[in-house]
Amino acid sequence: MTSKYRAAVLGSPIAHSLSPDLHRAAFAALGLDGWRYDRFEVDEAGLPGFLAGLDEAEWAGLSLTMPLKRAIIPLLDEVSATARSVDAVNTVVFTADGRRTGDNTDVPGLVNALRERGITEVPAAAVLGAGATASSALAALAQVCTGEVTVYVRSAERAREMAELGERLGVAVRTADWERGAEALERPLTVSTTPVGATDVFAGSLPTAPGALFDVLYHPWPTALAAACAERGSTVLGGLDLLVHQAVLQSEAFTGRAPGPLAAMREAGEKALAGR
């Protein structure tokens, strides 16, 4: 029986994180009464010192959010192929033999969230934005989209980065100007990866029958774009869908218990959001 019983989410800022609500609900559902899940404000400069101070015999793993997903990589013993493909680790597991292993559950979490809503394959797709989450979205679309992915970006540099990532992932990527972002919804599936308010401008100029939208924001919800798509009958997924599905995979990695308690974790997330 393992002595490991601790996990936490690290990042900066971190006070808004729903991860403690989700993972504590998972521990309760799994009957892991002695397990703890905390949150710690940690920036890139403080990350090596934080890790050095851990008693890894007690720690099962860590969840990582911005700005640590790339900074953690040099501090690990092993990194999964998925995490390498997007240069981002959001999950660290401390193994019984003392190794630190890194993975990315955002990519399969996004795929699993789409699958839950019946979206398993599309002939074309779009991504709004070109940051770290857009990289995970593109890696997920590599498993879902059989044709071209159009990425709407603000700069030539971002366009080049996404095209290069698509080449590494085996995805046909076409880039387009951000101002034309409303056209994204002409595709069967669009993943919006932008900050709050960034896509509001597109809500009033959507096609008559927009495709499915996966908007990775969860607060405030719905976004103007998500609401406009829902009014037109589109399938709409939100950030809580992604957060819960990626957290289920983290829970399985931390506890060794699968399948993770999806329903209990989703309920906890909905309850926490309703209280904000």
Side-chain angles (χ1 to χ4, degrees), residues 214-235:
F214 198 146
D215 193 324
V216 302
L217 295 171
Y218 60 80
H219 185 71
W221 184 259
T223 63
L225 184 62
C229 287
E231 287 173 4
R232 289 164 173 76
S234 299
T235 297

Side-chain angles (χ1 to χ4, degrees), residues 136-202:
S136 293
L138 195 58
L141 289 173
Q143 303 177 45
V144 175
C145 182
T146 59
E148 187 177 70
V149 177
T150 305
V151 184
Y152 292 82
V153 297
R154 295 184 186 276
S155 71
E157 181 183 357
R158 291 293 195 185
R160 184 170 59 253
E161 290 172 357
M162 294 302 284
E164 290 172 355
L165 177 59
E167 194 170 328
R168 293 205 306 272
L169 295 169
V171 179
V173 170
R174 181 173 72 87
T175 58
D177 291 340
W178 174 257
E179 289 73 17
R180 296 171 54 195
E183 298 174 6
L185 276 301
E186 295 173 2
R187 278 82 180 174
L189 172 63
T190 295
V191 184
S192 177
T193 67
T194 59
V196 174
T199 61
D200 290 0
V201 66
F202 303 139

